[in-house]
Amino acid sequence: MSTTDPVTPLPGPIEPPPRLLMGPGPISAYPSVLRAMSAPLVGQYDPFMTATMTETQELYRGVWGTRNDATLLVDGTSRAGIEAAMISLIRPGDRVLVPVFGRFGHLLAEIAERAMADVHTIEVEWGQVFPVSAIEEAIARVKPALLGLVQGDTSTTMNQPLDEIGAICDRHGVLFYSDATASLGGNPFEADAWGLDAATAGLQKCLGGPSGSAPITLSDRAVEVVQARKKIEAGIREPGDPSASDFVRSNYFDLGMILDYWGPRRLNHHTEATSMLYAARECARLILLEGRETVIERHRVAGAAMLAGVEALGLVVFGDVAHKMTNVVAVEIPDGVPGDEARAAMLDDFGIEIGTSFGPLHGRVWRIGTMGYNAREDAVLTTLAALEAVLRRFGAAVPAGAGVEAAADVYRGASV
Amino acid sequence: MSTTDPVTPLPGPIEPPPRLLMGPGPISAYPSVLRAMSAPLVGQYDPFMTATMTETQELYRGVWGTRNDATLLVDGTSRAGIEAAMISLIRPGDRVLVPVFGRFGHLLAEIAERAMADVHTIEVEWGQVFPVSAIEEAIARVKPALLGLVQGDTSTTMNQPLDEIGAICDRHGVLFYSDATASLGGNPFEADAWGLDAATAGLQKCLGGPSGSAPITLSDRAVEVVQARKKIEAGIREPGDPSASDFVRSNYFDLGMILDYWGPRRLNHHTEATSMLYAARECARLILLEGRETVIERHRVAGAAMLAGVEALGLVVFGDVAHKMTNVVAVEIPDGVPGDEARAAMLDDFGIEIGTSFGPLHGRVWRIGTMGYNAREDAVLTTLAALEAVLRRFGAAVPAGAGVEAAADVYRGASV
């Protein structure tokens, strides 16, 4: 076929099958977030565009629990936010400490390695979190420039307590960065009260939007570090502008430049992804409209209902339940049940997605999420009813109706 | 205010003002692209999702004019695509040649510097392109590992001829990369016939979508280079997987890893930005549905009509018109007309955006685009009618109706 031949036959407009996404994320977006993305575009420096960027920054201050001026979006998936934070804050050769309690701890370590850091890790078994003392001991020993700590690691469902870490970092002069992709919006997060210097997230978990935009917030101390390393491009540089020699090894992720674009100078960098900005704005607006604490409570109840439901079905929950995120639970796949076939039956016959897992847990556990729009009673009960039917089909002994009723009981006892 | 106080008053759903975007991009998206983004999400490994990724790759082969297997999207703006290509192909210390004929040449050089390349540039005056001989002479002298060459630089509106460059690069053993962000879809581009090793774009110009997804295509030779440098993350690495020491200094932009995610192994990397994938798919689908050559011809006619219109209004066109992109024209701001005030009047009173410029052209020229959805007769004539009114308001002597009629004449003579 010649390269100019048309693709034959051309497909029609996108028409996704109906799906209830109850995995570890991405999950079904709020309908109004989907609608927001179909709003018409405006120009990059249209007063409406810059006002929308500014408004979105203020909305995310409310979501993060911060007054950080440097609260904005990185144009890319949650991983883009992680890389922007780490590569802008880490100078080559800096010592970086990453406590690893699941796959995303490995990711932070790997991104720090790419940034040419001297990376030190500590590990706990998957399914556990670190005692604060273990992190403090490692900080005292390693003396890192930066601590990179995942809050909620979906690979294990664990939620690492962060509330005492900021004070420790402050005492040791360590920058404190957290990846809150999986947890933000469905679990408490207090950027200012907990002393975070940098935190990043994505829309596709508890924020209830699509992957592709990464909210980020930076303390004044973090901003000082990134501003000292900022370059201004030759094509738009003016006399007197700085040109750092200790530059960030990325243009796209140079937070100093990105801050100049989001800040009053509006210095051109990338062309802000307008539709994703609209989506991110709507995700934050919905959280603040419902109330940040109310949304977290809705996640807590949905998670408790799903937990009660899977336990009532006789499934064994993986990991330290006392430190589980509200919004996802991992259950061991019962002996004799083919894990991937059962997941396929959930998807094909019920239109419901639940998740598999990574690394040491691959083939051992399923992960079931209750987040964002889907942290709802009907989504929880429907998933449990389907799961019961599928388990029975594959020969597992499951008590009839027990999962649904245990979850409904949680809702009956809750005020949500 | 405490950090948990709600933002008061909360804004309503996004409600952008009506805008006809006739600047250098972003431009108004095709309505069906906006609709595609409001389609429901599916899971990351849903068979529909992976099939949609594969289908989108094939659609972009048609857009790029290539049979390259490695034809995919980078999740970020057009600049993300540029950085992914350059940082994955350039090893620290590699010699890189960048011919600069506008702002985006400076950007390629700057990104190559971030990748720790030994960067060599040649320059022509803004408003000109390079003769092929000048590029060949520089290649022979510099002996670069990679040539980075912008096709269409919106800062000057110039379209650098590329068709003879691939053969030269091939003779000298040089990787040939082009940034086609501003030109792809509205001007001829033949990745295979012209011997490109890598090319990148964005949706927000002639492809008629929002910023936020970067189509990219890589030749087999380019794939060999990036695969040799690929790392696999510790969290998902299996025995026998390679772990390169000569690694790319970015995880997010490591094309070897991104290819493993888009390829048959479907190895988890980022979570593909589903809504932007839907948008990118629809942009390519619309081009192939209308016919790639037909779309380019539509841009050619719209550009010729706009050119005739602004000349009939007495405006002086900037740069070498014989080498102008079809989809944007730069005109000198007439003496005595306040450029930014006139642009503001276009926007505020007519809802039409035209563009300012950068660097040496800032305050000297306006840039008027006719691209994607807006490469249409009604968009061209409406813009010219409004421009005439605004020029007259600011005291310029403009012949009544001449711009609109000159443009309409072009359409009367064309078969579009």
Side-chain angles (χ1 to χ4, degrees):
Chain A
M1 146 173 167
S2 123
T3 59
T4 56
D5 279 347
V7 179
T8 315
L10 269 178
I14 194 85
E15 200 66 73
R19 294 289 192 238
L20 179 64
L21 300 178
M22 303 296 285
I27 51 81
S28 318
Y30 289 103
S32 74
V33 173
L34 296 180
R35 283 196 298 273
M37 278 185 292
S38 67
L41 304 182
V42 297
Q44 187 178 7
Y45 290 106
D46 194 303
F48 179 82
M49 181 70 183
T50 50
T52 299
M53 292 170 74
T54 300
E55 186 178 71
T56 301
Q57 296 185 273
E58 183 61 13
L59 291 169
Y60 275 93
R61 288 185 192 108
V63 172
W64 286 114
T66 187
R67 293 310 308 152
N68 284 339
D69 189 52
T71 301
L72 61 158
L73 305 174
V74 173
D75 279 10
T77 72
S78 43
R79 180 177 292 233
I82 298 171
E83 184 156 320
M86 297 193 85
I87 206 166
S88 294
L89 289 172
I90 299 170
R91 290 181 166 85
D94 275 355
R95 271 195 301 277
V96 169
L97 174 65
V98 181
V100 175
F101 61 99
R103 179 186 167 201
F104 291 95
H106 284 300
L107 179 63
L108 299 198
E110 138 62 51
I111 290 175
E113 278 172 27
R114 303 273 190 155
M116 310 303 287
D118 174 13
V119 182
H120 298 251
T121 58
I122 53 175
E123 298 199 31
V124 285
E125 196 185 349
W126 285 33
Q128 307 298 320
V129 297
F130 289 93
V132 172
S133 59
I135 294 174
E136 178 156 29
E137 183 279 324
I139 286 175
R141 178 170 47 80
V142 173
K143 303 189 197 315
L146 180 134
L147 172 72
L149 185 55
V150 174
Q151 182 183 34
D153 198 313
T154 39
S155 67
T156 70
T157 78
M158 292 299 103
N159 187 352
Q160 173 67 46
L162 302 182
D163 53 323
E164 298 175 45
I165 308 292
I168 296 168
C169 286
D170 195 44
R171 277 201 302 279
H172 289 83
V174 174
L175 287 169
F176 177 23
Y177 160 66
S178 183
D179 166 22
T181 300
S183 48
L184 186 70
N187 304 267
F189 192 97
E190 298 291 346
D192 285 358
W194 296 353
L196 270 297
D197 289 301
T200 62
L203 304 186
Q204 75 276 16
K205 310 275 186 180
C206 302
L207 299 182
S211 173
S213 178
I216 183 170
T217 188
L218 299 174
S219 71
D220 292 347
R221 186 162 65 150
V223 169
E224 271 175 40
V225 174
V226 303
Q227 291 292 16
R229 305 180 67 200
K230 177 176 66 185
K231 281 182 77 167
I232 294 180
E233 290 165 36
I236 56 170
R237 192 181 302 152
E238 294 185 356
D241 277 339
S243 180
S245 56
D246 170 33
F247 55 84
V248 177
R249 298 295 189 270
S250 168
N251 171 296
Y252 194 71
F253 291 135
D254 185 333
L255 284 173
M257 296 170 81
I258 298 174
L259 283 167
D260 274 348
Y261 175 44
W262 284 77
R265 200 170 167 194
R266 295 280 172 207
L267 203 54
N268 188 249
H269 182 248
H270 63 286
T271 298
E272 181 59 15
T274 315
S275 305
M276 289 307 304
L277 171 72
Y278 293 170
R281 173 188 181 279
E282 185 65 7
C283 290
R285 198 183 74 86
L286 288 178
I287 284 186
L288 300 186
L289 194 66
E290 185 177 348
R292 191 170 66 134
E293 278 66 35
T294 311
V295 174
I296 292 169
E297 175 64 9
R298 177 161 61 78
H299 280 84
R300 192 194 63 73
V301 173
M306 185 62 84
L307 178 67
V310 293
E311 286 180 332
L313 286 174
L315 297 171
V316 176
V317 173
F318 170 82
D320 172 8
V321 174
H323 288 103
K324 194 180 79 58
M325 282 188 278
T326 60
N327 50 298
V328 61
V329 62
V331 294
E332 295 183 12
I333 301 167
D335 283 345
V337 173
D340 287 347
E341 271 180 71
R343 282 198 312 118
M346 289 287 287
L347 192 71
D348 295 341
D349 299 345
F350 296 87
I352 299 174
E353 180 179 271
I354 64 170
T356 179
S357 197
F358 299 111
L361 299 183
H362 184 74
R364 267 187 62 198
V365 308
W366 291 318
R367 292 176 300 155
I368 306 177
T370 43
M371 40 185 123
Y373 183 53
N374 290 347
R376 300 191 320 265
E377 182 169 8
D378 64 287
V380 172
L381 300 195
T382 305
T383 302
L384 287 165
L387 185 59
E388 179 186 329
V390 167
L391 285 169
R392 185 171 295 115
R393 183 190 298 174
F394 285 100
V398 279
V404 167
E405 281 314 303
D409 274 346
V410 170
Y411 272 98
R412 284 182 201 114
S415 58
V416 173
Chain B
M1 146 173 166
S2 122
T3 59
T4 57
D5 279 346
V7 178
T8 314
L10 270 177
I14 193 86
E15 199 67 72
R19 294 288 191 239
L20 179 64
L21 300 179
M22 303 297 285
I27 51 81
S28 318
Y30 288 104
S32 75
V33 172
L34 296 179
R35 283 196 299 272
M37 278 186 291
S38 67
L41 304 183
V42 297
Q44 189 178 7
Y45 290 106
D46 194 304
F48 179 82
M49 182 69 182
T50 49
T52 299
M53 291 169 75
T54 301
E55 186 177 74
T56 302
Q57 295 184 274
E58 183 60 12
L59 291 169
Y60 275 93
R61 289 185 192 107
V63 172
W64 285 114
T66 186
R67 294 311 307 154
N68 284 338
D69 190 52
T71 302
L72 62 159
L73 306 174
V74 172
D75 280 10
T77 71
S78 42
R79 179 178 293 233
I82 297 170
E83 184 156 319
M86 297 194 84
I87 206 166
S88 294
L89 289 172
I90 299 171
R91 290 181 168 85
D94 275 356
R95 271 196 300 278
V96 169
L97 173 64
V98 181
V100 176
F101 60 100
R103 180 187 165 198
F104 291 95
H106 284 300
L107 178 63
L108 299 198
E110 141 55 53
I111 290 174
E113 278 173 29
R114 303 271 190 156
M116 309 304 285
D118 174 13
V119 183
H120 298 251
T121 58
I122 54 174
E123 299 199 31
V124 286
E125 196 186 348
W126 284 34
Q128 306 298 318
V129 297
F130 289 93
V132 171
S133 59
I135 294 174
E136 178 156 28
E137 184 280 322
I139 286 175
R141 177 169 48 79
V142 172
K143 301 188 199 313
L146 180 132
L147 171 72
L149 184 55
V150 174
Q151 183 184 32
D153 198 314
T154 38
S155 67
T156 69
T157 78
M158 291 299 104
N159 187 352
Q160 172 67 44
L162 303 182
D163 54 321
E164 296 175 46
I165 306 293
I168 296 169
C169 286
D170 195 45
R171 276 202 302 280
H172 289 83
V174 174
L175 287 168
F176 177 24
Y177 160 66
S178 182
D179 166 23
T181 300
S183 48
L184 186 70
N187 303 268
F189 191 96
E190 298 290 346
D192 285 358
W194 296 353
L196 271 297
D197 288 301
T200 63
L203 304 186
Q204 74 275 16
K205 310 275 185 180
C206 303
L207 298 182
S211 173
S213 178
I216 182 170
T217 189
L218 300 173
S219 72
D220 292 347
R221 185 161 67 150
V223 169
E224 270 176 43
V225 173
V226 303
Q227 291 291 16
R229 305 180 66 200
K230 177 175 66 184
K231 279 182 78 165
I232 294 181
E233 289 166 34
I236 56 170
R237 192 182 301 152
E238 293 185 355
D241 277 339
S243 180
S245 57
D246 171 32
F247 55 84
V248 177
R249 297 295 189 270
S250 168
N251 172 297
Y252 194 70
F253 291 135
D254 185 334
L255 283 173
M257 296 171 80
I258 297 174
L259 283 168
D260 274 349
Y261 175 44
W262 283 77
R265 200 171 168 194
R266 294 283 172 205
L267 204 54
N268 188 249
H269 181 248
H270 63 285
T271 297
E272 181 59 17
T274 315
S275 305
M276 288 307 304
L277 171 71
Y278 293 171
R281 174 188 180 279
E282 185 66 6
C283 290
R285 198 183 74 86
L286 289 179
I287 284 185
L288 300 186
L289 193 66
E290 185 176 349
R292 191 170 66 133
E293 279 67 34
T294 312
V295 174
I296 291 169
E297 175 64 9
R298 176 162 61 77
H299 279 84
R300 192 194 63 74
V301 173
M306 185 62 84
L307 178 67
V310 294
E311 286 181 331
L313 286 174
L315 297 171
V316 176
V317 174
F318 170 81
D320 172 8
V321 174
H323 288 103
K324 193 180 78 58
M325 284 187 279
T326 60
N327 51 296
V328 60
V329 62
V331 294
E332 294 183 13
I333 300 168
D335 283 346
V337 174
D340 287 347
E341 270 181 72
R343 282 198 313 117
M346 289 289 285
L347 192 71
D348 295 341
D349 299 345
F350 296 89
I352 299 174
E353 181 179 270
I354 64 170
T356 179
S357 198
F358 299 112
L361 299 183
H362 184 74
R364 266 188 62 200
V365 307
W366 291 319
R367 292 176 300 156
I368 306 177
T370 44
M371 41 185 123
Y373 183 52
N374 289 348
R376 302 192 318 268
E377 182 169 7
D378 64 286
V380 172
L381 300 195
T382 305
T383 302
L384 287 165
L387 186 59
E388 178 186 329
V390 167
L391 286 170
R392 185 171 295 116
R393 184 190 297 175
F394 285 101
V398 278
V404 167
E405 281 314 303
D409 274 346
V410 170
Y411 272 98
R412 283 181 201 114
S415 59
V416 172

